[in-house]
Amino acid sequence: MILAIESSCDDSSIALTRISDYKLVFHKKISQELAHSEYGGVVPELASRLHAEALPKILEEAKGFLHQVKAIAVTNEPGLSVTLMEGVMMAKALHLALNVPLIGVNHLVGHIYSLFIEQEEKLPKMVLLVSGGHTMILDVRGYNDMKVLATTLDDSFGESFDKVAKMMGLGYPGGPIIEKLARKGDENRFNFPVPLSKTNKLAFSYSGLKNAVRLTLSEMEKLSQQDIADIAASFQKAAIAHLLQKTKKAFDLYHPKEFAIVGGASANLRLREEFIKECEKRGIAISFALLEFCADNAAMIARAGIEAYKRGEFIAMEDLKVLPRSCLT
Ligand code: KG4
Ligand code: ZN
């Protein structure tokens, strides 16, 4: 089995996956969302302290499997350095204690492999990654063979939901809260601009849309429940329209046969609907990770780790470093 550890942001998670048939044998995650909610975003030092408490507790539950572990996979990039450090320290300790090799996993590659949990990988695919830290279109051909085709110039898709929720005092994470409110709102009440719609550029930008919401809020006096729902719906409509507009452009340029959406924000059902419609129109096969594996988890890190294991891509303890920024280009 591969034992995997994920601590790049606010989820502490450990998974054990069988190498021969990808069976997820153990998976547990302790989310810190509640602890960060009152701050409207993740507080790195608090997150780090909570990982230091949660990871050993989860490991204790997995103790019975440790004699079957063949390698330790750990997220070492990208993410918050103080939280990544917690997982990497535990991985190094286990590497020494169990005398098995170490694998460093890029968190974004992990999200891509969330598509293949308990499955063979099916590539190539064009992949849209939408999370709190990233908004990217990638051409994915293999574990070590992927290229970023488009990325964001500023904020990410999920982050813009978090910030809009924070502006209206709705808590964290904003994505599920805004999605739920949007169902009761009028998405045509506010005409928020779809970012970069006048340029041909294959890139994303969410800071302008966020600021348009901020401006609208500053012009309104007291917000009713209906106002909040209408803002959520109108914002979500523009945010998804931007993703769709740029992805359509990527479809026109690269003609993929298969397409997938991954990352925490890929749990958004409205987003799924819009992309399913577009892909049906174009005859492109579309897939998603199971809802339970969209947000950060160690099962996806274990699944990616198996690919590294099969290739013998291990890293010496002294070379395994925490990298806050991704080296994917
Ligand atoms: O992948 P993830 O768990 O963590 C990162 O790697 O960033 O993604 C978390 C992000 C947060 O910004 C959260 O608000 C967003 O995904 N998110 C959503 C939804 N569920 C989570 N955004 C929009 N709609 C959702 N339903
Ligand atoms: Zn993530």
Side-chain angles (χ1 to χ4, degrees):
M1 291 179 195
I2 298 282
L3 182 146
I5 308 168
E6 159 63 38
S7 69
S8 66
C9 190
D10 58 347
D11 294 292
S12 317
S13 182
I14 293 180
L16 280 137
T17 301
R18 207 152 59 200
I19 296 163
S20 58
D21 61 357
Y22 312 116
K23 169 119 184 86
L24 184 57
V25 177
F26 173 91
H27 181 221
K28 180 145 186 192
K29 153 168 155 171
I30 297 179
S31 184
Q32 309 173 353
E33 282 167 0
L34 221 57
H36 299 289
S37 188
E38 64 176 296
Y39 305 103
V42 177
V43 182
E45 284 69 25
L46 173 61
S48 163
R49 191 163 57 71
L50 293 172
H51 283 304
E53 283 169 23
L55 287 173
K57 269 194 215 155
I58 305 177
L59 186 65
E60 185 63 29
E61 290 183 39
K63 223 167 56 183
F65 298 107
L66 292 186
H67 64 287
Q68 298 184 61
V69 170
K70 294 275 183 266
I72 310 291
V74 62
T75 308
N76 69 320
E77 65 166 311
L80 299 167
S81 39
V82 288
T83 66
L84 286 166
M85 194 62 84
E86 294 299 326
V88 167
M89 278 191 312
M90 175 177 264
K92 289 183 176 180
L94 284 168
H95 154 72
L96 292 174
L98 303 176
N99 194 24
V100 293
L102 279 169
I103 295 166
V105 176
N106 181 307
H107 181 78
L108 309 181
V109 176
H111 272 301
I112 291 166
Y113 276 84
S114 68
L115 293 166
F116 310 126
I117 289 172
E118 301 204 313
Q119 286 175 44
E120 289 287 341
E121 72 172 29
K122 195 157 177 276
L123 294 173
K125 275 188 207 307
M126 179 183 279
V127 177
L128 173 66
L129 166 66
V130 275
S131 69
H134 297 85
T135 308
M136 284 178 171
I137 299 175
L138 300 113
D139 176 19
V140 181
R141 300 186 169 268
Y143 179 72
N144 269 338
D145 187 5
M146 45 186 87
K147 195 168 158 246
V148 178
L149 304 175
T151 187
T152 178
L153 306 173
D154 40 61
D155 293 352
S156 76
F157 179 79
E159 184 182 11
S160 71
F161 279 68
D162 296 334
K163 288 185 174 166
V164 166
K166 186 174 180 183
M167 281 178 218
M168 297 196 281
L170 301 173
Y172 170 87
I177 302 171
I178 297 277
E179 181 183 9
K180 193 160 165 232
L181 282 166
R183 283 190 212 123
K184 292 182 243 154
D186 172 4
E187 65 176 23
N188 297 317
R189 173 161 163 211
F190 298 94
N191 194 13
F192 295 130
V194 177
L196 305 182
S197 59
K198 293 196 180 66
T199 121
N200 244 339
K201 207 170 168 150
L202 191 52
F204 298 103
S205 166
Y206 278 95
S207 69
L209 174 57
K210 171 191 71 187
N211 287 331
V213 175
R214 195 189 303 280
L215 195 66
T216 299
L217 285 170
S218 72
E219 285 162 357
M220 294 173 77
E221 295 219 323
K222 208 171 164 297
L223 291 179
S224 68
Q225 280 309 309
Q226 194 56 51
D227 291 335
I228 292 176
D230 293 346
I231 288 172
S234 306
F235 157 74
Q236 179 176 261
K237 180 187 170 193
I240 293 176
H242 177 36
L243 275 188
L244 194 61
Q245 207 172 68
K246 293 301 175 185
T247 306
K248 276 158 78 173
K249 192 168 174 46
F251 287 165
D252 291 341
L253 281 171
Y254 299 100
H255 309 288
K257 290 195 179 63
E258 299 203 14
F259 175 68
I261 314 184
V262 299
S266 69
N268 187 300
L269 297 180
R270 178 65 196 277
L271 178 155
R272 288 185 174 216
E273 268 169 35
E274 301 262 339
F275 276 84
I276 288 170
K277 255 195 284 172
E278 185 61 30
C279 286
E280 267 173 9
K281 237 189 328 188
R282 291 174 181 250
I284 298 173
I286 183 168
S287 53
F288 303 90
L290 290 177
L291 280 177
E292 64 182 300
F293 299 123
C294 290
D296 294 350
N297 65 81
M300 67 187 195
I301 304 304
R303 180 61 190 85
I306 293 179
E307 297 303 319
Y309 182 86
K310 287 195 289 199
R311 291 165 175 78
E313 285 179 17
F314 305 118
I315 184 162
M317 190 166 100
E318 57 278 18
D319 296 333
L320 181 61
K321 303 232 160 44
V322 156
L323 305 169
R325 301 188 75 85
S326 171
C327 61
L328 272 185
T329 49

